[in-house]
Amino acid sequence: MTKSVTYHKICIAPMMDHTDKHFRYFMRLLSKSTVLYTEMITTGAIIHGNRNRILEFNEIEHPLAIQLGGNRPEELAESAYIAENEGYDEINLNIGCPSDRVQNGQFGACLMSKPELVANCVSEVLSKVHLPVTVKTRIGIDEQDSYEFLKSFITSVSNAGCNTFIIHARKAILSGLSPKENREIPPLHYDRVYQLKSDFPSLNIVINGGITNLNQVKNHLQYVDGVMLGRIAYQDPYMLSLVDRLFFESAAIIPSRQEILENYKYYIDKQIKNGIHPKNLTRHIIGLFQGQPGARQYRRLLSETKPESVNDTSYFDEAIRLVSNH
Ligand SMILES: Cc1cc2nc3c(=O)[nH]c(=O)nc-3n(C[C@H](O)[C@H](O)[C@H](O)COP(=O)(O)O)c2cc1C
């Protein structure tokens, strides 16, 4: 079975409660070529939940990967099949989340200690879909944090047919740390991820964790195939406006902040007509003017205002005015 390939040179990380379809639309206004990821969606939510609402996306979001959370091969395969029919471009399995909720469900990062099960999940999904199946994981968990452990995990899972691994370059500590702490406290070991690329040259290795500027991106790309950016895409999204020109196409147009804002406003107006609450739309663009004149008041207006009604976007108009006077 041929699997189409999504190109992972730069991608935007799955982030729960952040990378919904509105955020991803906003990302697309900044960069056409990055691969976008959904938040983690559990197999239970896809199989038993409101599928249309959970899976819907805007056409502009391609290339778009769906991240699945689960540990039952058949349920992952069924969810992947549904996602393929919805038009997603890639199935990504979450083998890196350390939250208690996910651990109670026995998926996410704790699956690193069950490479055979992960391999079964990958092969079952591959048998049901034509899409590439990728894995997002960590460099280790708890005491299982040697390079040999990581290498053996990658060997098992790649033998099952996964050829793209996104590696958050820190281990997860499964008890005692919150998910937030697990993104900050365990030290980053980029060298481990570079070593993987050198030991598995035919695999597509994407590095993730603590990457905050495009110079760092450029540097990592000397050693690995791709870079995944998470929090910085939220904190300083405009940084991404340079990505297409620097990493994909030298003639790519760099949109201005104002142009992005205008296009997103057009999107907001349409979404509000569909009944979406304005705060669910404006929350994603709070960082757009990071470092610019007026940014503080802009940020404050967007984060603190409680709109009078679901149609009330006057606070957004005011925020636009604040940053367009400069
Ligand atoms: C708010 C938030 C939610 C996250 N949710 C997910 C998730 O659903 N699935 C996942 O694999 N990783 C999730 N992550 C982890 C990120 O994908 C990424 O691995 C991590 O933030 C490290 O990258 P960064 O330093 O560039 O942010 C989340 C991170 C944040 C900040």
Side-chain angles (χ1 to χ4, degrees), residues 212 230-238 286-290 299:
T212 54
R231 288 163 287 186
I232 197 64
Y234 224 84
Q235 290 154 7
D236 185 12
Y238 192 66
I286 288 175
L288 180 60
F289 285 83
Q290 168 79 5
R299 174 186 289 274

Side-chain angles (χ1 to χ4, degrees), residues 85-245:
N85 284 333
E86 287 296 314
Y88 284 89
D89 302 304
E90 170 186 326
I91 306 297
N92 177 260
L93 305 184
N94 182 331
I95 317 291
C97 179
S99 80
D100 287 345
R101 184 175 74 89
V102 162
Q103 276 188 67
N104 289 339
Q106 293 180 16
F107 57 100
C110 63
L111 286 178
M112 276 198 93
S113 63
K114 297 187 176 156
E116 271 115 58
L117 175 58
V118 178
N120 284 344
C121 292
V122 166
S123 47
E124 188 71 22
V125 174
L126 280 169
S127 73
K128 294 276 166 24
V129 299
H130 298 83
L131 297 177
V133 178
T134 65
V135 162
K136 179 169 182 282
T137 190
R138 299 255 183 162
I139 56 171
I141 43 169
D142 294 332
E143 306 309 314
Q144 295 176 296
D145 60 359
S146 67
Y147 178 71
E148 287 314 310
F149 170 77
L150 175 63
K151 190 173 170 190
S152 147
F153 175 82
I154 299 293
T155 304
S156 306
V157 180
S158 61
N159 284 342
C162 173
N163 59 23
T164 298
F165 290 85
I166 301 158
I167 317 274
H168 185 174
R170 40 166 78 85
K171 72 170 177 176
I173 295 173
L174 295 182
S175 55
L177 291 191
S178 69
K180 183 168 185 290
E181 289 167 329
N182 256 313
R183 295 191 284 269
E184 285 159 7
I185 293 175
L188 286 159
H189 287 290
Y190 295 134
D191 52 318
R192 299 269 173 109
V193 186
Y194 298 166
Q195 187 64 43
L196 276 184
K197 179 64 198 176
S198 132
D199 288 344
F200 299 89
S202 63
L203 295 181
N204 198 14
I205 301 292
V206 180
I207 198 165
N208 166 244
I211 300 164
T212 54
N213 67 53
L214 297 180
N215 274 337
Q216 293 168 1
V217 171
K218 219 181 277 179
N219 188 42
H220 286 302
L221 288 175
Q222 293 174 16
Y223 304 99
V224 289
D225 303 288
V227 173
M228 174 177 269
L229 300 169
R231 288 163 287 186
I232 197 64
Y234 224 84
Q235 290 154 7
D236 185 12
Y238 192 66
M239 188 187 102
L240 296 166
S241 66
L242 295 172
V243 159
D244 289 355
R245 167 130 3 143

